[in-house]
Amino acid sequence: MRTQVFAISGMSCASCAARLEKAIRELCGVAEASVNFAAAKASVTYDPQRLRQSDIRLAVEKAGFAVAQASAGDAERRHAEYARLRARFIVAAAFAFVLLYLAMAPMIMAVPLPFGGYLREYMSHRPLLYALTQFLLLCPVIGAGRGFYTSGFKALLRRGPNMDSLVALGTSAAVVFSVYNTVLTARGHHEAAELLYYETAGVIIALLLLGRTLEHAAKNKTSEAIAKLSELAPATATVIREGAEAEVPVGEVEIGDVILVRPGARIPVDGIVTDGCGAVDESMLTGESMPSDKTVGDAVYAATVNTTGALRLRAEKVGADTALAHIIKLVEDAQLGKAPIAALADKVAGVFVPVVCAVAAATGAGWFIACSVSPGLAAGKSAAAFALSALISVLVIACPCALGLATPTAIMVGTGKGAEYGILIKGGRALEIARKADTVALDKTGTVTEGKPALTDAVAAEGVDVAALLRLAASAEADSEHPIGRAVVAGAKARGLPLSAASGFASLTGQGVEATVEGQTVLVGTDRLMGGRGVGFARMEGEHNRLADEGKTPMYVAADGKLLGVVAVADTAKTSAAPAVAALRRMGLDVLMLTGDNGRAAEAVARQAGIGRVRAQLLPGDKTGEIKKLQSEGRVVAMVGDGINDAPALATADIGIAIGTGTDIAMESADIVLMRGRLTDVPEAIRLSRRVIRNVKQNLCWAFGYNVLGIPVAAGALHIFGGPMLNPMFAAAAMSLSSVSVLANALRLKRYKPAGR
């Protein structure tokens, strides 16, 4: 299967998206199709052996839309569209204002308006010229809003009406009725000049263009996350070829090229430092504000900033393979995905416009009959004029756009905001399930712990200096490749202890090491090693066992047959572990640890992190079994891991959360990726998901509530009980503001900041 994203133009509302999605899914070979109205994109998963991209494009065009492969120019295209809409609104607003003034001034007797008396005089003496002037003023407005008519009537002809169809029908009815009365005026029926609706059509178009312009501006803001990420990558790179520096477009950099990155410059590709040292600001990747020190052998990533020191690096990943490109791809995929909560809105949007058309026709016919039988109901208007006003109000107040924007806009803003803080959420499903999680299962090594041993203790025998103990142990281990030996060396160096040269180094498998340091034979290892060399260790055995009970790996240290003491290393809990567990518990979640490590080590780490329940000595399949057991109890389980052995459990859990410093397989299996590698981002991801889904629910409640209440009011429900009828112009304003209100509510998520920021 292959997944392709297409940029779609011509969609005016959620009904368009629903119709297009249905058309694509009906193609033979399509496994999944998702059309996002807010992003104006379609994601199609299909079998390339049975279907070509050209077939998909043809299906889109047959449905009445245009398609182009999504590209980096999407942002420019959106901004150009916004500029066109704004220009059209300005034209429509200017002429609509004059038209409204010309139409309303003669009718408002109580309020003294400039030229009001003159216009009343003009209308009474030259009604035909008065009517024709209004018609001519309407023409530029219709020209500015011509998109409503071309899109709306095309959709009607294809039997797939959309929101533009409602606008086109409503305003066309007003214009046709007004033209009819203009003709009557020309034939001498001067009273017909008082039954013109040119200003209604003009103001409706102007207000809808205003709403569409504001909507476009807001939708552009929802896509800012990807635009900002894309802008981070530098356009050029300084490549060293044949000893000379050459500045080339970043697209021409090849794997293996040596690149020079000066202080203050952005790193163009992912690579390994081969020369130099410096501090790199990786905040765009990890969310960390403090620069990370880099030296020879360290990995660096595209779009991060070299703050100090010149670096030479060897290109390892370029173009679409860089970490930045993967992040952008993850965010794009997340923004195109749909949350299960949107299913009802999608179903409603699919039938919304035909139902509204039927309601509008029934409203117009019902009021015409009622006003013909009881003229008093028409409030001084003719039955036809009253019925037409009600019909237009119903058509223009209905808003499928609000339904279509409710879910995707919140998801787009939320996932973009998460990416800004190093939390990559793979779509709406992940957001919706994460907020339901009631149990969090944590892997130990690399997730709760640092993933590498560190020196934790040094206990010297009586009469021995601790510094001397550590210095001799580290000197003996200096040539060791074992992680425990490296941890001892790193611990001694961190304490500022100078190491002595060692000779005769020997690694004794399963026992420890032996080396000659400062003329002494130094042993570092197990009780078996000490016993085999005749070193008495009974007096330190209690300390050794105590450290072992704490889940640490203790080792005896001896020199020339004399026991010097015990050193211990352990994979220590991350500093973020305890605060993360405490935050999860405050949020009402149950926390447990699943690990393949021995029970003693697991319990020790669990105590440090504040985790109450531990399942130890588990194989990868056993972790999956534990997840399934929790799920069988009705729990919604979030699994947090980082290694290859965690991938099955991450895929089995209701929501998989991968530590971004872990393996690619774990990150591929997960629904959420934490780029900073800090456990405190686990509760933050769940908190963000709860906030986004709450925002979605608010949007859906408003969208449904608006239409459920607005359409009956426009149809005259209040008038039946003695209340007012809704003016079509107010209906148009309400419709425009409904979509804008949904977008404005979604954009509130941009103010989100993680706890403590």
Side-chain angles (χ1 to χ4, degrees), residues 549-610:
D549 288 339
E550 294 176 359
K552 300 171 183 175
T553 302
M555 295 166 292
Y556 292 109
V557 181
D560 287 341
K562 177 186 176 183
L563 185 68
L564 301 180
V566 179
V567 294
V569 302
D571 185 8
T572 56
K574 294 178 178 178
T575 56
S576 61
V581 172
L584 289 168
R585 285 183 169 164
R586 286 195 300 271
M587 294 167 67
L589 284 83
D590 190 19
V591 184
L592 72 155
M593 181 193 291
L594 305 179
T595 178
D597 208 345
N598 66 77
R600 195 160 56 179
E603 289 288 352
V605 171
R607 284 194 297 272
Q608 294 178 48

Side-chain angles (χ1 to χ4, degrees), residues 490-515:
K493 288 181 177 179
R495 290 163 173 78
L497 300 177
L499 303 188
S500 300
S503 60
F505 174 82
S507 177
L508 308 172
T509 305
Q511 298 183 55
V513 301
E514 178 182 6

